[in-house]
Amino acid sequence: MPRAIGWNKRDPELGKLKIEARIFGNKLTFFRQAGRFEQWEEFTPSVEDWDTVNELAENKFQRGKVQAQHLKVIQARGRKF
């Protein structure tokens, strides 16, 4: 299983959030965590989240930390190909 792509984000309503994009097979799922000891919850990403995960995945692909097939899933916006 590949490592999740994660970053921090500040939301005006929820405060500081940890965001992770996890890939399992050809499925991309976004999760967020509001506090350190809170549960991870699945959510629907915004356009900004898609742009961020795409940029991070491309950078990790250049360094050999993301496989080409996973990069294709991310660039296809999570749709199965």
Side-chain angles (χ1 to χ4, degrees):
M1 184 168 135
R3 177 175 271 183
I5 299 172
W7 66 96
N8 292 323
K9 174 181 173 181
R10 186 160 300 277
D11 186 89
E13 299 166 3
L14 301 173
K16 184 177 177 183
L17 298 171
K18 288 184 184 178
I19 308 290
E20 281 191 359
R22 301 177 187 168
I23 298 175
F24 188 78
N26 287 339
K27 184 178 179 190
L28 177 66
T29 310
F30 283 82
F31 290 90
R32 68 181 171 200
Q33 183 183 35
R36 182 174 176 185
F37 299 107
E38 299 293 324
Q39 294 291 322
W40 286 93
E41 62 180 17
E42 191 173 337
F43 76 102
T44 304
S46 66
V47 174
E48 178 185 335
D49 294 330
W50 279 111
D51 292 340
T52 302
V53 75
N54 193 28
E55 180 182 331
L56 291 172
E58 287 175 2
N59 290 341
K60 287 180 181 256
F61 177 73
Q62 295 297 324
R63 292 180 291 165
K65 301 202 180 258
V66 171
Q67 297 177 3
Q69 66 186 23
H70 297 142
L71 184 62
K72 287 180 185 177
V73 171
I74 292 169
Q75 289 175 340
R77 298 239 174 201
R79 285 180 248 114
K80 292 186 178 181
F81 56 95

